[in-house]
Amino acid sequence: MDTSRIILIGFMGSGKTTLGKKLANKLAYEFIDTDSLIESFYGKTIPEIFATEGETKFREWEQLIVSELESRENCIISVGGGLPCYEGNMDRLLALGKVIYLQRSPKELFHRLINKKNERPLLKDKTEHELLDHITNLLEKRKEYYERAHIIADREHQTPAKLIQLIAAP
Ligand code: S3P
């Protein structure tokens, strides 16, 4: 198993970026975030891309970014929440390195996202009342992709030290 690329997947708000940065620090790996790569390649923020180009275009750009990841090594890659669930991307991620799913319940995600939903085009129009149902339904659709990860890390394992143990396990 190739551990020169460690790929963190999971729903919006699952902590991929925060944990990914800590893990990169510990392992002296580069930290890469697919949303930031898209923003710098195309010179627009994610909300701007959704507003001006639409979600379909954003998903095409996500696919192109997976090809860019193939040229990177010794890195922790935090992947946008929807990326694994479109157009064969999950197969490509699984071939690229060790994929870890940061699993969280809809309720936990709701509490983590309630004050940050405006940064996320797919959530910003939901009222607080609609948000939990929306998260529950979207996670239900996406989990068949997420659960194909090499490692499923539940809440207790979502620390750099615990993840390193999981990665090292045969
Ligand atoms: C999305 C998740 C976001 C970002 C975009 C769409 C999704 O990334 O890619 O807003 O479809 O779940 P984060 O998971 O980093 O919030």
Side-chain angles (χ1 to χ4, degrees):
M1 167 57 59
D2 182 3
T3 53
S4 82
R5 298 186 199 96
I6 293 162
I7 299 156
L8 301 181
I9 65 167
F11 204 83
M12 293 170 267
S14 57
K16 297 167 297 225
T17 303
T18 310
L19 195 52
K21 283 183 180 165
K22 287 186 189 160
L23 201 54
N25 210 15
K26 272 217 176 287
L27 296 173
Y29 272 20
E30 182 189 2
F31 175 74
I32 298 174
D33 175 86
T34 58
D35 283 340
S36 305
L37 272 187
I38 291 174
E39 291 184 331
S40 59
F41 269 51
Y42 297 101
K44 288 183 181 184
T45 66
I46 301 296
E48 280 167 0
I49 295 171
F50 271 74
T52 59
E53 313 287 337
E55 182 174 354
T56 307
K57 197 77 192 165
F58 174 72
R59 299 300 173 196
E60 281 172 26
W61 289 353
E62 280 191 320
Q63 260 191 294
L64 296 173
I65 283 299
V66 179
S67 309
E68 163 65 22
L69 299 175
E70 285 158 3
S71 66
R72 309 291 189 102
E73 286 191 342
N74 298 331
C75 51
I76 309 289
I77 304 167
S78 163
V79 166
L83 187 148
C85 315
Y86 289 86
E87 306 297 339
N89 288 343
M90 189 61 190
D91 289 324
R92 295 173 71 202
L93 294 178
L94 288 166
L96 208 58
K98 198 144 203 173
V99 180
I100 305 176
Y101 169 33
L102 302 184
Q103 191 177 47
R104 298 251 178 196
S105 71
K107 274 215 171 120
E108 279 177 90
L109 293 167
F110 170 81
H111 290 297
R112 294 169 63 93
L113 285 165
I114 186 70
N115 295 319
K116 295 194 191 142
K117 70 183 179 70
N118 292 340
E119 302 153 25
R120 293 179 165 94
L122 294 180
L123 305 180
K124 72 174 171 39
D125 297 330
K126 306 291 168 203
T127 62
E128 187 170 335
H129 186 69
E130 293 166 333
L131 190 62
L132 179 59
D133 272 356
H134 181 70
I135 292 171
T136 306
N137 295 336
L138 194 53
L139 182 61
E140 193 53 39
K141 288 191 197 127
R142 289 180 169 183
K143 75 177 187 196
E144 66 169 296
Y145 298 93
Y146 294 155
E147 288 178 356
R148 293 181 60 211
H150 296 117
I151 296 171
I152 298 181
D154 61 17
R155 202 168 63 150
E156 270 92 85
H157 289 88
Q158 293 178 17
T159 64
K162 291 266 169 66
L163 282 186
I164 289 168
Q165 273 175 16
L166 288 177
I167 293 163

